Amino acid sequence: LAKMMKANKMVEGDFALTNDPFIILDTVKTKLENQLALINLNTSKYELLTDFQEPVTLFDYHHFIPNEQSHLFTWSYVNEKTDYREYKLLKVSEVENNPSVKLIENPLHLVWEQESVIFDSTHQVYILITDYELIVVDSTFSKVLRKKSILEYGNKDDIGYFQHIHQSENGQWIIVTYSEGVFIFRYEDFQLLLTEKIEYACFAEFSNQDKYLLIGTWNKGYVVENNLTK
């Protein structure tokens, strides 16, 4: 059911682009709670994709999964019994034709940072940061397969706070950005391959074909040749 969009229905936060530049996935404020919606920016019409009634609902966008043609979100809400925020994952598929939403439960009761979840379609696992731990969880999100404490490489003041996580195109490396530097781990065994102290770091990713590292701080940007392939 399509409805007309009003300006005050939009909720501040990340949104997902689709193949149509005028259609996005974003959060809409409804009488019940915040809901995920498919929004047509040309017509101001939207289609609700969820109908959650849990209080203080939030949606955080992670990334597009090319192999599945789906978008990965975190859905979180406040548990009225415990007063703690709980986290689950959502995959939105078939956006252009017949949108479908798959809810992925969180029986491990993991809590993760904003923008800190990746779905690795090569290995069919989820990679995430929770507190100062790098964790790999199986495709059903019910079993931790591997984890590594970032605090092995310094204290919280030295490392800073979490900013970003990204995986190389070949699936072999994971780069994690904290506000005081970046860490590159080998996926296979979480061996630390490189760490670099970079003040005010906020972003680091591998370029297409993993040829370069793209690193950003609050006032500078760097393009560095990726020597891990040598």
Side-chain angles (χ1 to χ4, degrees):
L1 179 63
K3 299 183 179 182
M4 294 298 293
M5 170 66 66
K6 295 181 180 178
N8 63 359
K9 285 185 176 290
M10 299 293 289
V11 178
E12 183 178 353
D14 294 335
F15 59 87
L17 298 172
T18 68
N19 290 332
D20 186 329
F22 294 102
I23 296 179
I24 64 172
L25 285 164
D26 203 353
T27 307
V28 172
K29 185 177 180 180
T30 71
K31 292 180 180 179
L32 288 177
E33 263 299 339
N34 292 336
Q35 305 294 346
L36 193 62
L38 194 63
I39 303 171
N40 188 315
L41 300 177
N42 267 335
T43 63
S44 296
K45 292 182 178 180
Y46 66 91
E47 177 186 353
L48 294 180
L49 303 180
T50 60
D51 59 354
F52 298 130
Q53 299 184 32
E54 286 77 1
V56 201
T57 286
L58 296 174
F59 295 93
D60 293 313
Y61 181 58
H62 296 297
H63 67 99
F64 179 66
I65 306 170
N67 290 1
E68 296 185 356
Q69 291 293 296
S70 65
H71 297 268
L72 181 66
F73 288 83
T74 286
W75 166 51
S76 66
Y77 60 91
V78 173
N79 185 318
E80 291 183 298
K81 294 181 179 178
T82 64
D83 208 31
Y84 287 111
R85 182 163 288 277
E86 298 198 3
Y87 297 78
K88 299 181 182 182
L89 292 171
L90 293 175
K91 283 184 180 179
V92 183
S93 307
E94 301 291 336
V95 172
E96 282 78 17
N97 302 310
N98 184 26
S100 64
V101 177
K102 179 183 178 182
L103 176 64
I104 300 157
E105 297 288 346
N106 179 14
L108 300 171
H109 302 290
L110 294 174
V111 175
W112 51 85
E113 306 285 346
Q114 188 176 10
E115 300 181 6
S116 70
V117 182
I118 296 171
F119 180 72
D120 173 357
S121 54
T122 301
H123 302 101
Q124 290 293 300
V125 296
Y126 293 92
I127 304 169
L128 60 147
I129 295 289
T130 172
D131 198 8
Y132 284 85
E133 279 196 319
L134 176 63
I135 299 178
V136 173
V137 183
D138 73 343
S139 60
T140 65
F141 217 76
S142 59
K143 182 180 180 181
V144 173
L145 302 177
R146 186 161 58 256
K147 60 183 178 180
K148 164 77 75 171
S149 174
I150 307 295
L151 294 177
E152 291 181 19
Y153 310 106
N155 59 44
K156 292 182 179 181
D157 290 336
D158 292 335
I159 294 170
Y161 51 88
F162 173 80
Q163 292 279 31
H164 195 67
I165 184 172
H166 187 252
Q167 187 177 27
S168 59
E169 192 173 289
N170 63 15
Q172 294 182 25
W173 311 302
I174 302 164
I175 186 165
V176 184
T177 307
Y178 282 84
S179 57
E180 297 297 327
V182 298
F183 300 83
I184 299 180
F185 297 92
R186 185 165 59 197
Y187 168 80
E188 181 182 352
D189 54 8
F190 276 4
Q191 179 180 336
L192 180 66
L193 301 177
L194 176 70
T195 180
E196 190 71 31
K197 184 79 172 176
I198 303 174
E199 194 174 24
Y200 308 126
C202 59
F203 173 90
E205 289 193 354
F206 293 93
S207 69
N208 289 339
Q209 301 180 344
D210 303 324
K211 189 174 182 180
Y212 300 102
L213 292 174
L214 313 176
I215 301 172
T217 73
W218 291 116
N219 49 28
K220 293 181 181 179
Y222 305 90
V223 178
V224 182
E225 186 178 358
N226 178 14
N227 293 319
L228 297 173
T229 57
K230 297 180 179 179

